[in-house]
Amino acid sequence: MLTSASELVAIIRGWFETVNDKRWDDLPKYMHSTYNENGKDYTPESWAAHVRDHVGPELGGNIRMNEDSIMADENAQCAAFSIWFKFKPEKPFLGYQLMRREVLLVGHGFVWFTDGKLSKSLFVMNNDDMRRQLANLSTEYVPSLISEYPVPNMEARLSREELEEAYRAYVDTVNFRRLTKTEYAKYFHQPETTLNNKALARRIVEDTLAAIPDLHVDIHTMIIDEEKQRLAVWLEFTGTPARDYAGLAANGRAVRFTEHATYQFVNGKIQRIWGVMDLDEARQQQKYAK
């Protein structure tokens, strides 16, 4: 029997609250007997110990996760979520020495359920944004949160199937290099779609394609909220950098990295994007390949 979408959301919220309250002995009850996080296997008990003994202390010892967004798919027994919290690193973090500076972390992920319990998750954090916070102590970081953006009024709404079809067609334009101004206008509002508070969406795609000419995008997972006209995806990118880009070297080595993104559609076109790309994943591949 499938767990309903509302129950999946309640399970995630209970999971968050248990971590926030440091009720480590209660945490395993949310976990399936086998749980995989970002490719690493845990038992319910070992994952609770990992959060208590490693994740918590690394993030300052006082984790308090704040819900930004949760979208659940009953048929897939899967949910997309985003969270945020502030913390002061208690030890060197992301290559920076201890500064006692408060850092704002934004995390996005997908979680899958088996028999109503968490059995798998993929999670990515805004590591590059956190590095910028640590590098410039005088700069205030303003996150782009889904919860702060009300669902816009719209005249026309797409069905679940139409939303999926529209997004897959857009990904095809990227993969087949058909991202002309005319083609772009079919899928995006003009003059520019906002990505994480910045009107840079198209430029980032173009810059990435220029740096990685053979870039290919695969859709790993997709969840759709037809009522809100929102779509959350976990994307997988592969390609070989032809020039140095975002910490990646043009050394002839292919890389693979991922992105979590949420798209707001309005009247059948993408109006806004919230996304985190895990370029650290690709940087590590090049580092260890040496």
Side-chain angles (χ1 to χ4, degrees):
M1 182 176 178
L2 297 178
T3 304
S4 71
S6 60
E7 289 174 318
L8 296 178
V9 172
I11 291 168
I12 293 175
R13 286 174 174 160
W15 180 39
F16 290 166
E17 290 172 4
T18 302
V19 173
N20 288 344
D21 296 341
K22 299 182 177 62
R23 291 184 280 113
W24 309 120
D25 292 340
D26 292 338
L27 199 53
K29 75 179 183 181
Y30 293 96
M31 321 302 293
H32 191 258
S33 57
T34 56
Y35 174 68
N36 182 287
E37 181 177 273
N38 288 355
K40 185 173 182 178
D41 292 325
Y42 296 90
T43 65
E45 293 74 20
S46 67
W47 189 82
H50 170 69
V51 175
R52 180 193 65 214
D53 299 336
H54 299 284
V55 178
E58 183 176 4
L59 300 181
N62 187 26
I63 302 174
R64 181 140 201 99
M65 295 187 288
N66 299 279
E67 176 188 329
D68 180 29
S69 173
I70 303 176
M71 295 169 53
D73 185 324
E74 180 175 330
N75 291 329
Q77 292 291 279
C78 177
F81 66 91
S82 60
I83 58 172
W84 67 271
F85 56 86
K86 293 181 179 180
F87 68 99
K88 290 184 179 180
E90 295 291 334
K91 57 183 180 180
F93 185 70
L94 293 177
Y96 287 85
Q97 295 302 311
L98 186 61
M99 296 180 182
R100 298 289 182 182
R101 186 235 164 101
E102 191 172 64
V103 176
L104 197 150
L105 180 152
V106 179
H108 298 260
F110 277 84
V111 62
W112 286 261
F113 297 81
T114 301
D115 300 327
K117 295 182 180 292
L118 285 75
S119 57
K120 178 184 175 181
S121 67
L122 294 170
F123 186 70
V124 62
M125 300 183 298
N126 61 329
N127 286 346
D128 283 347
D129 285 333
M130 288 191 286
R131 288 189 180 95
R132 282 189 280 270
Q133 294 175 61
L134 291 166
N136 191 339
L137 301 181
S138 63
T139 300
E140 181 180 0
Y141 172 65
V142 180
S144 176
L145 299 177
I146 301 171
S147 56
E148 293 181 348
Y149 187 75
V151 177
N153 294 323
M154 54 192 86
E155 299 174 357
R157 292 175 178 269
L158 300 183
S159 68
R160 177 183 298 269
E161 293 75 20
E162 289 171 330
L163 286 165
E164 178 174 353
E165 181 182 356
Y167 185 73
R168 289 188 181 278
Y170 161 63
V171 171
D172 284 344
T173 68
V174 176
N175 283 333
F176 293 103
R177 306 301 187 265
R178 298 195 303 261
L179 203 59
T180 62
K181 289 184 178 180
T182 301
E183 196 72 14
Y184 189 84
K186 292 180 182 179
Y187 305 104
F188 289 84
H189 282 274
Q190 297 295 307
E192 179 60 282
T193 295
T194 300
L195 171 62
N196 295 340
N197 288 337
K198 299 177 181 178
L200 299 172
R202 184 181 177 192
R203 196 180 83 192
I204 289 175
V205 173
E206 292 175 340
D207 288 350
T208 305
L209 288 174
I212 310 176
D214 63 344
L215 186 77
H216 185 81
V217 186
D218 284 312
I219 302 171
H220 178 282
T221 304
M222 180 188 304
I223 290 181
I224 295 170
D225 186 330
E226 186 176 336
E227 180 180 353
K228 293 183 177 180
Q229 295 286 283
R230 285 178 181 168
L231 181 153
V233 290
W234 188 274
L235 302 174
E236 294 182 339
F237 299 83
T238 53
T240 305
R243 68 185 190 199
D244 293 353
Y245 175 71
L248 299 177
N251 58 11
R253 299 183 186 277
V255 294
R256 177 186 296 270
F257 54 97
T258 56
E259 179 184 20
H260 180 294
T262 301
Y263 293 77
Q264 175 71 64
F265 281 75
V266 175
N267 297 329
K269 293 185 179 183
I270 298 167
Q271 184 193 58
R272 193 177 185 95
I273 309 169
W274 299 268
V276 175
M277 187 177 288
D278 188 10
L279 287 169
D280 274 359
E281 182 180 2
R283 294 165 188 149
Q284 288 295 315
Q285 292 165 28
Q286 288 198 331
K287 176 181 177 181
Y288 289 117
K290 293 178 182 178

